[in-house]
Amino acid sequence: MPEGDTVFRAARRLHEALAGHPVARFDLRVPQVATVDLSGETVHAVVPRGKHILHRIGSWTLHSHLKMEGEWHVYRRGGRWRKPGYKVRAIVGTTEWDTVGFDLADIAVVPTEREGELVDHLGPDPLSKDWDLAEAARRVSADPREIHVALLEQRNVAGFGNEYANEILFVRGIRPTTPAPEVDAAALLDVGARMIRANRDRSGRTFTGDSRPGQSTWVYRREGRPCRRCGTQIIGGELGADPTRERIIFWCPVCQT
């Protein structure tokens, strides 16, 4: 699942390919915006916001969300795509590059002056220049739900997904079901911010410092295996804000109390 660091890297690649150039090809393959054409407009910037990507083109903003399976690829103009055409939801190209969005969700085009309507509900983003730890901690602490759920709530803090939530909680020694108001949210989020910033420029995400296959996580997807710290068997389960949003969770019953 794409998380904030994945989205950050995708936006950076898109920005490097498109920024400063006029659009030579613009094709949105979703019904609600299929007739929009920004060809000829200049791409000013492509920026991430949590798990959202914003293309600022002319006086407009193209918004997309990667959700569970979305990807943006960058190809030399006319290059062969690595995924099938039926999965394409958006193409933004220049005379030199084609950027192709596969399996994207929540695509919208709005005047740039109104892009806040799409992303202003999000909490502070640890990968943004204006990261506000105190405000993020305030929001998480005010959430009465389990801390794992509170960390995934993008209105509290933008960018953390399920893998990060599991790994952050292990490193801080907090069980996923602990009520959020009982947690030192500032310390928890400080660890999370340092984790996601460390992974921002890596091609392979790691939480342990070891990026080899099978060695990069403390607890995530390690149910039934020994804890890397104490040797106790890792436990797995499911938790969510409601039955339709349950996520898999993992924890060590000794290291996380």
Side-chain angles (χ1 to χ4, degrees), residues 49 52 54 56 61 63 110-122:
R49 182 73 172 88
H52 303 249
L54 305 172
R56 293 171 180 158
T61 293
H63 163 271
V110 299
T112 297
E113 64 185 16
R114 291 176 47 205
E115 73 178 28
E117 296 175 10
L118 303 175
V119 295
D120 278 356
H121 66 283
L122 299 171

Side-chain angles (χ1 to χ4, degrees), residues 179-254:
E182 298 179 10
V183 172
D184 183 342
L188 184 71
L189 292 169
D190 180 61
V191 167
R194 286 187 279 124
M195 281 183 173
I196 201 168
R197 288 172 182 171
N199 280 319
R200 179 184 59 192
D201 300 322
R202 291 177 174 141
S203 58
R205 182 185 298 150
T206 180
F207 299 94
T208 62
D210 188 338
S211 59
R212 292 177 298 171
Q215 302 299 316
S216 62
T217 63
W218 293 104
V219 293
Y220 187 70
R221 293 195 179 277
R222 298 194 67 247
E223 182 179 5
R225 300 179 185 178
C227 174
R228 298 190 194 278
R229 281 183 177 170
C230 72
T232 304
Q233 190 176 85
I234 299 298
I235 297 174
E238 294 184 349
L239 186 66
D242 58 58
T244 66
R245 290 184 286 172
E246 287 190 340
R247 298 291 182 266
I248 51 176
I249 59 173
F250 307 91
W251 73 96
C252 171
V254 173

Side-chain angles (χ1 to χ4, degrees), residues 44-58:
H44 303 301
V46 183
V47 298
R49 182 73 172 88
K51 298 184 181 183
H52 303 249
I53 292 179
L54 305 172
H55 289 68
R56 293 171 180 158
I57 305 171

Side-chain angles (χ1 to χ4, degrees), residues 73-77 80-82 96-98 100 102:
H73 294 186
V74 178
Y75 302 96
R76 286 283 182 182
R77 187 68 185 268
R80 184 176 180 178
W81 298 343
R82 297 189 302 275
E96 185 176 0
W97 300 100
D98 279 330
V100 186
F102 298 92

